[in-house]
Amino acid sequence: MLLPNGIRHLPGYLDRPAQEALVEAIRAVVAEAPLFTPVMPGTGKEMSVRMTNCGSLGWVTDKQHGYRYQPTHPVTGRPWPAMPAQLLDLWRDIAGYETPPEACLVNFYSDDARMGLHQDRDEQDLKAPVLSISLGNTCLFRVGGLNRNDRTLSFKLSSGDIVILGGEGRLCFHGVERIYPATSTLLKNGGRINLTLRRVQP
Ligand code: SIN
Ligand code: FE2
């Protein structure tokens, strides 16, 4: 399968122990910064994923103020927890970008959640890639081009897979069409976690 330029899929990059260690680290993040339900700007419609963040900045959205990065959790008002060392190491090993990521968006998908086609364009620094890590149940990931109506292709992402959206592919539309229940034993209660590491400021 030929992916658009700048988009890389690294299947099975993380072995099982590395996946388990990441889940532990994310549990600690969620204990400090609880998952919240994001809503679309304008319409106020709830998204089906739940989210939190770690790092110095976190991505949030609400009806009034829309998509943005901010240094504090929208519900607790506290700073986001620090980014776990494993994530900084992964970025150093594969992002090919000198400065470290500032934000890690944690998306939790129940088995019936999905994410519509969108671009990641709320970052000021669009030269840095977005590095995405899949944990738990397999999903069907869809990627298109730079215009919403461009042809898309879909492929599965399994636990431990990494996707990099960089270079010419940095602003490609992408989304999650569906989660396949019971395809991984990593998360006891099913579902899928996606982590995306982002550099926000130049
Ligand atoms: C996202 O685009 O923020 C999430 C992608 C994914 O869940 O794989
Ligand atoms: Fe995205």
Side-chain angles (χ1 to χ4, degrees):
M1 185 185 45
L2 195 57
L3 294 174
N5 284 340
I7 300 192
R8 285 159 65 203
H9 177 203
L10 310 177
Y13 187 89
L14 298 171
D15 64 13
R16 176 76 183 211
Q19 295 172 39
E20 286 171 358
L22 258 186
V23 170
E24 274 314 299
I26 294 308
R27 278 191 210 296
V29 165
V30 170
E32 219 180 306
L35 293 167
F36 59 91
T37 300
V39 302
M40 310 278 276
T43 63
K45 189 176 172 333
E46 287 190 349
M47 297 184 183
S48 58
V49 295
R50 289 181 301 147
M51 294 180 172
T52 190
N53 292 269
C54 52
S56 55
L57 290 171
W59 188 87
V60 300
T61 169
D62 57 32
K63 187 175 153 88
Q64 299 268 310
H65 306 289
Y67 305 145
R68 63 196 187 275
Y69 283 91
Q70 63 179 43
T72 54
H73 190 287
V75 179
T76 67
R78 290 200 301 263
W80 303 106
M83 190 149 347
Q86 298 104 299
L87 295 177
L88 295 172
D89 290 348
L90 268 175
W91 178 273
R92 192 200 49 222
D93 293 347
I94 52 187
Y97 200 75
E98 58 280 15
T99 42
E102 293 159 297
C104 171
L105 174 63
V106 178
N107 285 139
F108 178 77
Y109 296 77
S110 53
D111 286 333
D112 57 2
R114 56 236 281 349
M115 187 175 290
L117 215 55
H118 66 278
Q119 291 171 297
D120 290 3
R121 57 179 314 153
D122 301 315
E123 302 71 31
Q124 289 157 254
D125 184 355
L126 293 173
K127 292 202 297 295
V130 170
L131 193 161
S132 155
I133 303 161
S134 293
L135 297 167
N137 284 341
T138 300
C139 78
L140 188 60
F141 186 71
R142 186 144 75 110
V143 55
L146 299 178
N147 298 299
R148 180 173 289 281
N149 296 325
D150 288 349
R151 198 155 47 88
T152 63
L153 55 86
S154 298
F155 56 99
K156 288 181 177 177
L157 294 180
S158 303
S159 197
D161 286 11
I162 288 184
V163 171
I164 298 158
L165 305 180
E168 288 173 56
R170 174 62 180 76
L171 288 175
C172 281
F173 277 86
H174 59 279
V176 172
E177 287 184 66
R178 60 165 300 192
I179 308 292
Y180 298 96
T183 42
S184 164
T185 55
L186 186 70
L187 305 175
K188 278 184 287 295
N189 298 319
R192 170 175 183 264
I193 294 171
N194 173 259
L195 308 176
T196 43
L197 304 183
R198 295 118 184 270
R199 178 79 205 171
V200 181
Q201 295 165 317

